[in-house]
Amino acid sequence: NDPNQAYKYASKSIELDINSRQGQIEYARALAGIKGTEMGLDYLLKLVNSYPLVTEYRMALGEMLLSDERFPEAIEIF
C-alpha cells in the first residue's frame, strides 16, 4: 500500500537479480505508483520490446493498461 516502500524493495530486487521477471514487473508497478502510470507503462513497453518472447512482461503491460481503463490498447497487447 506504500508506493515508496514498494519502489525501494522492487529496486533492490532488480539490483540483486536483473533477470527476475517478477522483480521487473513489480518495479514497473512501483514506478507507476510513484511517478505515474505512464512511467510504468513505458518501462514495461521497453521490457516487451527488449524481450518479445517473455509473455509475463506482455501480460503485465496489458494488466496495467486495463487498470488505467485503456481497453483498446489492452486488447491489442493481449
Side-chain angles (χ1 to χ4, degrees):
N1 290 335
D2 181 11
N4 291 320
Q5 284 288 76
Y7 182 78
K8 178 180 150 186
Y9 288 121
S11 296
K12 190 66 169 174
S13 171
I14 62 172
E15 182 181 314
L16 293 172
D17 183 7
I18 192 86
N19 295 318
S20 169
R21 293 175 183 176
Q22 191 60 39
Q24 293 285 359
I25 292 167
E26 293 304 323
Y27 178 79
R29 289 179 181 151
L31 191 62
I34 291 212
K35 296 187 179 181
T37 304
E38 285 302 316
M39 292 293 288
L41 289 171
D42 287 343
Y43 189 80
L44 283 171
L45 190 57
K46 287 177 187 174
L47 288 172
V48 167
N49 290 332
S50 296
Y51 307 101
L53 299 177
V54 178
T55 57
E56 289 95 334
Y57 296 148
R58 188 172 300 277
M59 294 296 292
L61 178 60
E63 289 169 4
M64 193 176 288
L65 287 166
L66 274 177
S67 69
D68 199 40
E69 298 182 1
R70 298 181 189 187
F71 302 119
E73 294 172 5
I75 289 170
E76 184 179 324
I77 293 297
F78 288 131

